[in-house]
Amino acid sequence: MKILAVIPARGGSKGIPKKNIKLLGNKPLLQFTAEKALASKFLTQVILSTDSDEIAQVGKTIGLEVPFIRPQNLALDTTPTIEVLQHALKFYENQEVFFDAICILQPTTPFREEGVIDKAIEKFKTTNVDTLISVLEVPHQFNPHWTFEVDNQEHLKIATGDTQIIPRRQELPKTYYRDGSIYIIKTNLIKEGVLFKNSIGYIESNPKNNVNLDTMEDWILAEKIIYNL
């Protein structure tokens, strides 16, 4: 199976200015993801998709391939991820190069465990799902069976649609949320314009040292992890 890894890193970060190339510890944020991707045995090719010449130069310095500079209309706050992936696929298909799937590796989740990318790919292959994502378990107090929505009469109702609350924590089914570190999607779905459709597989990430960098508060947490504070 031919899998293209796309590391998306646009230049217009607002929450953390110049986030993707900002030094975390002694190396640019982008390098954490690049090192794990380049160490994979199962990724066919690893590329950086960016609109920024500065980020592209950093990417090349740390060993990433930068086959194109992404057009500005695909680097907006509102640009859907699917369009970034379609752009990469079209670039290669124009050169008669085809892939079975794309693996998205976002720089904003830098602390992936060793080998987790290949574990995810192995599971993706053996389970033959359309999409596989990395997840973390939802803490029991936020389990959807214990959360509420407001109905049109301004009354609370159980978010899952249950009529009775599950009384004991031990009876709650496990639920998960996307942690953002790994997405693997079959090419045919991307061409259809969707990331999720039918079968969705998952791999659990290690909650230790998990961080998703969006705000300066997140960055401070990542620095504490780096420096073991």
Side-chain angles (χ1 to χ4, degrees), residues 4-207:
L4 173 67
V6 175
I7 301 177
R10 69 185 185 90
S13 173
K14 294 186 175 69
I16 305 172
K18 291 195 172 184
K19 172 173 59 181
N20 290 302
I21 54 175
K22 182 178 172 67
L23 290 183
L24 180 58
N26 63 353
K27 55 189 177 184
L29 176 65
L30 181 61
Q31 188 170 343
F32 289 87
T33 295
E35 288 174 348
K36 296 292 172 61
L38 293 171
S40 167
K41 297 179 295 183
F42 300 138
L43 291 172
T44 308
Q45 194 166 350
V46 179
I47 67 166
L48 173 66
S49 173
T50 184
D51 62 308
S52 163
D53 290 331
E54 185 178 15
I55 294 175
Q57 186 56 50
V58 172
K60 291 175 183 177
T61 300
I62 60 179
L64 290 174
E65 183 180 349
V66 188
F68 51 75
I69 294 295
R70 198 195 312 169
Q72 290 297 318
N73 66 304
L74 292 179
L76 306 174
D77 289 341
T78 55
T79 300
T81 299
I82 193 72
E83 293 183 7
V84 174
L85 304 182
Q86 289 172 333
H87 173 261
L89 279 179
K90 186 175 181 180
F91 173 85
Y92 281 105
E93 289 181 355
N94 285 341
Q95 301 177 56
E96 298 295 314
V97 177
F98 302 95
F99 296 93
D100 301 298
I102 282 186
C103 177
I104 312 171
L105 298 171
Q106 300 181 119
T108 46
T109 52
F111 304 134
R112 296 174 184 84
E113 284 190 294
E114 295 291 334
V116 70
I117 295 171
D118 282 350
K119 288 179 183 176
I121 293 171
E122 285 183 307
K123 190 169 184 182
F124 179 75
K125 291 178 178 179
T126 57
T127 55
N128 196 32
V129 292
D130 293 318
T131 302
L132 184 139
I133 60 176
S134 58
V135 297
L136 289 168
E137 186 175 350
V138 176
H140 73 269
Q141 63 268 37
F142 302 122
N143 189 291
H145 291 273
W146 275 10
T147 59
F148 298 87
E149 297 176 354
V150 178
D151 65 17
N152 54 16
Q153 295 180 317
E154 294 296 308
H155 297 161
L156 291 178
K157 62 178 181 178
I158 303 171
T160 57
D162 296 346
T163 57
Q164 296 293 325
I165 199 82
I166 294 175
R168 299 174 65 247
R169 174 177 58 83
Q170 293 83 353
E171 298 174 22
L172 289 169
K174 284 188 176 183
T175 56
Y176 300 93
Y177 66 95
R178 294 175 289 167
D179 75 328
S181 63
I182 300 173
Y183 295 79
I184 309 174
I185 310 106
K186 286 184 176 177
T187 299
N188 63 302
L189 260 69
I190 295 168
K191 290 182 177 180
E192 290 179 28
V194 295
L195 297 179
F196 308 100
K197 189 174 182 181
N198 299 316
S199 53
I200 303 173
Y202 70 97
I203 185 169
E204 288 192 61
S205 297
N206 188 338

